[in-house]
């Protein structure tokens, strides 16, 4: 995972307060199917996460699959910050999750998980 506006502390990354891509990657090859991407971490200020979003893309960001706002959260919210379900119509190369933050946002990201959804297994 890479970042433009964050700094690492242990296994987590913290926003610098600048606007931009907080986190992006991991550039996976995934087969056709249904998936769920989830961002885990914490908000560190009472303003929540207004104007922040996450998306899923493939082909190094050239093909956007879905974009959603990260949950507006209260101060010191810990756990799931955002989740998005998505479908790949065919094998996709370089699938990544991107997390964008607005100016002044105080957030820590601990993990991004991409998992096959149950919907895909039922088909």
């Amino acid at each position: 995972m890479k970042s433009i506006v964050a700094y690492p502390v242990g296994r987590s990354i913290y926003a610098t307060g600048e606007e931009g891509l907080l986190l992006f990657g991991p550039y996976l090859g995934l087969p056709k199917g249904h998936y769920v991407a989830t961002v885990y971490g914490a908000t560190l200020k009472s303003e929540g996460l207004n104007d922040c979003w996450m998306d899923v893309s493939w082909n190094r960001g050239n093909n956007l699959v879905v974009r959603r706002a990260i949950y507006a959260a209260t101060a010191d919210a810990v756990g799931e910050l955002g989740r998005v379900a998505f479908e790949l119509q065919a094998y996709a190369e370089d699938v990544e999750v991107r997390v964008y933050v607005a100016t002044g946002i105080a957030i820590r990201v601990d993990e991004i998980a991409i998992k096959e959804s149950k919907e895909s297994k039922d088909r």
Side-chain angles (χ1 to χ4, degrees):
M1 303 294 289
K2 298 182 181 186
S3 178
I4 295 175
V5 296
Y7 59 93
V9 175
R11 295 181 51 107
S12 300
I13 64 157
Y14 289 76
T16 62
E18 298 173 83
E19 177 182 3
L21 285 175
L22 180 71
L23 196 62
F24 55 100
Y27 302 114
L28 302 169
L30 293 176
K32 174 183 176 178
H34 292 83
Y35 298 90
V36 175
T38 309
V39 176
Y40 297 96
T43 59
L44 306 172
K45 286 174 47 177
S46 62
E47 288 81 24
L49 300 174
N50 297 326
D51 300 321
C52 298
W53 50 259
M54 65 181 288
D55 70 16
V56 176
S57 65
W58 59 279
N59 191 17
R60 296 251 173 202
N62 290 314
N63 299 88
L64 181 66
V65 179
V66 64
R67 176 175 288 167
R68 289 258 163 70
I70 292 181
Y71 308 145
T74 59
D76 300 323
V78 177
E80 185 177 298
L81 299 176
R83 176 189 294 221
V84 63
F86 64 98
E87 179 181 5
L88 297 174
Q89 296 292 323
Y91 176 83
E93 194 68 39
D94 293 326
V95 175
E96 67 176 317
V97 175
R98 299 181 292 193
V99 177
Y100 173 89
V101 292
T103 302
I105 295 296
I107 184 175
R108 180 189 82 223
V109 174
D110 300 323
E111 176 185 8
I112 292 181
I114 300 174
K115 296 183 180 179
E116 189 175 17
S117 75
K118 182 177 179 335
E119 181 177 342
S120 182
K121 293 177 185 174
D122 290 342
R123 291 182 176 204

